[in-house]
Amino acid sequence: MLDPQVLRRDTEAIAAALKAQGYELDVPAFASLEEKRREIQEQTQNLQNERNTRSKEIGKAKGRGEDITELVAEVGNLGERLKDAEAGLKDVQDELQDIYVGIPNLTHESVPAGKDEEDNVEVRRWSEPRDLGFEPRDHVDIGEQLGLLDFEAASNLTGSRFVVLKGAMSRLHRALAQFMLDMHVTDHGYTEVYVPFLVNRNSLYGTGQLPKFEDDQFHADTESDYFLIPTAEVPVTNLVADSILEADELPLKFACHSPCFRREAGSYGKDTRGILRQHQFEKVELVQIVRPEDSYDALDELTSHAEAVLQRLELPYRTVVLCTGDIGFSAAKTFDIEVWVPGQQTYREISSCSNCEDFQARRMQARWRNPDASRPELVHTLNGSGVAVGRAMLAVIENYQQADGSVVIPDALRPYMGGTERIELA
RNA sequence: GGAGAGGUGGCAGAGUGGUCGAAUGCGGCGGUCUUGAAAACCGUUGACUCGAAAGGGUCCGGGGGUUCGAAUCCCUCCCUCUCCGCCA
């Protein structure tokens, strides 16, 4: 959520900035609603003031043993009028709230303007795609030939966009997750956390998925009103919801391995082949809670932590900064890391690292005690995949494929694979 | 699943209809004392919000109700703890 005070004060300027990002704010409607709110709020508070004053008088009179019937009669229907005023105020506030929670974050000045992913800007590239010396196949062909990747079994069990992994492939998947998690904890200073994979509405509201993106979520159809997490960002970032952190507690750095569940509504027919876009996938997520002045350094650091995973796996990648038209709802700036996918002869997203500044913090009321400020201030929150496990497996399979259909295990993963050096046809 | 207890400020914990945004302690901050520190003592110390300001208003788990007036009474939901049962 944007700062309501700033939005009220600089409505025109912010509306213009939002428009450049593709969001239309109805300025006259917003302004008149705010004006209405102010009026009703003033009236309501005056009534409240009167009630408080008169009730105190009655209390005092009663304490002195005086007759209070006349004083009580004077109050008349104040209570009713106050109730009406409060109800009216609540209506306007709800209406305003609906507007506020639907407005996306403002992007950082360094974010390039653009319409869609075509306008994202590459900022760096690491390593070169290998020359395999033969026509690369994609992971579906390789995995199915090895008998270790089974989409048909998954569609029988559930439906489309799921997969069953077997044997060494299943272990490779697990090895990747363990490898990444260990790396972030041991080398990068993150604290490992294990969290619920079902969350309530409030948590999804805090990170910005609700109310606007409810259709993208899997809702557990029970009386408890829970949702399957679309990313560990939701439970992990919400660890600091409704809290006031001491200055010396920051930065907080959390790493979390979790499954993620996405409806993929609106992506019909997109990436239907293979494991690129599944309803269920795993991810090692990185979350940082930092002081506002540190958040852009933290974004660079967090992004480098995700990149380090690909470097250790020796997978070629490039890093792009998302343009204003492609960036997510809650982010002020996002770097996507795209790994080389030989089967498609292109780079595909494997990690997305964002600085949300105070957008999520305001929604979830996550604050810290700035010693230089008189009051608690909002923290900045960051998150990034470090990295998506299934896509990393896809990249390993395709980049390390051999002419004979086997797959060589990257050195970094061998300790996690019981020393296995190669996955081959049994 | 059954029975009971309880949710109050950063923490602990009083407060059962009125001068209570809330005693007291701890913690924090400032000071006195000290070479310095500790101890002791004194003072101070919740969050949010409207407003240019003066000054208002809101908040005692969430929501609703009773009342001139609710932390306190009623309803409802959520959560925590204890005991029993069941269970990976």
Side-chain angles (χ1 to χ4, degrees):
Chain A
M1 195 163 88
L2 300 182
D3 186 341
Q5 281 178 319
V6 175
L7 185 54
R8 279 196 285 264
R9 181 158 23 87
D10 301 327
T11 311
E12 294 289 349
I14 291 178
L18 287 169
K19 188 168 183 179
Q21 295 173 220
Y23 181 87
E24 289 278 354
L25 178 68
D26 186 341
V27 175
F30 172 79
S32 80
L33 204 53
E34 271 292 356
E35 183 56 33
K36 193 171 158 195
R37 190 220 86 234
R38 206 175 115 168
E39 270 172 39
I40 298 182
Q41 182 160 338
E42 237 167 80
Q43 291 167 8
T44 306
Q45 294 188 353
N46 287 340
L47 285 171
Q48 285 171 331
N49 189 4
E50 193 178 342
R51 177 203 60 193
N52 293 346
T53 312
R54 290 193 178 257
S55 293
K56 268 181 191 163
E57 280 168 14
I58 293 173
K60 280 182 192 166
K62 203 179 174 187
R64 289 192 298 265
E66 297 169 9
D67 180 22
I68 60 167
T69 48
E70 199 169 314
L71 284 172
V72 171
E74 273 175 27
V75 177
N77 64 346
L78 187 62
E80 289 302 315
R81 279 158 58 209
L82 180 56
K83 235 170 241 181
D84 289 346
E86 283 174 341
L89 180 59
K90 188 177 182 300
D91 286 345
V92 186
Q93 282 175 332
D94 286 349
E95 220 174 312
L96 273 167
Q97 183 71 2
D98 286 347
I99 295 174
Y100 278 112
V101 300
I103 301 175
N105 202 357
L106 286 170
T107 54
H108 188 255
E109 58 186 9
S110 66
V111 170
K115 202 157 83 28
D116 53 33
E117 59 182 352
E118 296 299 313
D119 298 322
N120 295 341
V121 176
E122 181 175 314
V123 293
R124 60 184 159 268
R125 205 176 264 242
W126 186 85
S127 192
E128 292 288 320
R130 292 177 190 72
D131 180 11
L132 296 170
F134 57 90
E135 187 69 23
R137 295 185 294 161
D138 78 358
H139 66 287
V140 178
D141 286 346
I142 301 165
E144 288 188 334
Q145 191 194 321
L146 288 166
L148 303 178
L149 215 52
D150 195 338
F151 291 96
E152 205 180 315
S155 82
N156 286 335
L157 292 170
T158 311
S160 65
R161 293 199 193 277
F162 289 91
V163 71
V164 169
L165 308 179
K166 294 176 186 166
M169 198 64 79
S170 184
R171 182 160 190 179
L172 173 60
H173 188 262
R174 172 164 57 95
L176 280 161
Q178 302 300 317
F179 161 72
M180 294 174 201
L181 199 49
D182 282 351
M183 188 172 168
H184 296 309
V185 170
T186 307
D187 302 343
H188 300 151
Y190 288 78
T191 301
E192 181 176 350
V193 288
Y194 173 84
V195 295
F197 302 146
L198 285 163
V199 294
N200 58 30
R201 281 182 184 274
N202 196 43
S203 296
L204 281 162
Y205 169 79
T207 33
Q209 284 81 11
L210 289 186
K212 206 166 185 175
F213 305 103
E214 183 158 354
D215 288 349
D216 296 338
Q217 317 302 325
F218 274 109
H219 184 235
D221 193 11
T222 62
E223 56 185 303
S224 37
D225 200 23
Y226 294 156
F227 292 83
L228 288 161
I229 56 170
T231 157
E233 168 197 342
V234 178
V236 177
T237 311
N238 274 286
L239 285 173
V240 297
D242 291 314
S243 61
I244 301 175
L245 301 158
E246 297 302 329
D248 61 12
E249 290 179 80
L250 299 177
L252 286 170
K253 297 164 73 174
F254 296 118
C256 181
H257 169 217
S258 86
C260 306
F261 302 92
R262 298 188 183 174
R263 293 268 301 278
E264 294 300 343
S267 61
Y268 303 109
K270 207 171 167 187
D271 300 321
T272 49
R273 180 176 165 85
I275 62 171
L276 200 68
R277 194 176 299 277
Q278 304 264 283
H279 288 308
Q280 170 187 319
F281 62 96
E282 294 195 14
K283 192 153 57 65
V284 171
E285 185 76 359
L286 304 175
V287 168
Q288 292 201 25
I289 312 296
V290 306
R291 301 181 184 201
E293 74 256 31
D294 296 335
S295 67
Y296 279 94
D297 287 340
L299 178 61
D300 288 339
E301 185 200 72
L302 190 148
T303 307
S304 78
H305 292 157
E307 290 179 10
V309 170
L310 301 182
Q311 291 172 13
R312 288 279 299 278
L313 294 173
E314 299 178 71
L315 294 169
Y317 67 84
R318 63 173 196 152
T319 302
V320 302
V321 58
L322 299 193
C323 72
T324 51
D326 197 33
I327 195 168
F329 182 73
S330 298
K333 185 172 186 177
T334 298
F335 290 110
D336 269 11
I337 303 170
E338 300 178 341
V339 72
W340 178 251
V341 177
Q344 296 184 1
Q345 288 294 300
T346 185
Y347 289 95
R348 295 300 306 254
E349 177 192 338
I350 194 169
S351 169
S352 193
C353 302
S354 301
N355 181 4
C356 298
E357 296 190 1
D358 63 13
F359 188 84
Q360 295 180 323
R362 183 171 294 106
R363 286 174 165 243
M364 65 175 77
Q365 283 302 297
R367 291 167 294 166
W368 71 296
R369 287 192 199 283
N370 179 353
D372 299 326
S374 56
R375 311 194 295 174
E377 295 181 343
L378 296 168
V379 295
H380 280 194
T381 64
L382 300 96
N383 64 78
S385 13
V387 299
V389 178
R391 289 186 180 181
M393 186 180 75
L394 176 159
V396 166
I397 295 170
E398 296 194 12
N399 283 280
Y400 283 86
Q401 63 180 298
Q402 306 297 307
D404 64 0
S406 65
V407 174
V408 169
I409 303 296
D411 287 341
L413 291 179
R414 291 183 186 176
Y416 293 90
M417 291 289 291
T420 301
E421 292 177 10
R422 183 191 287 256
I423 301 175
E424 44 204 336
L425 210 55

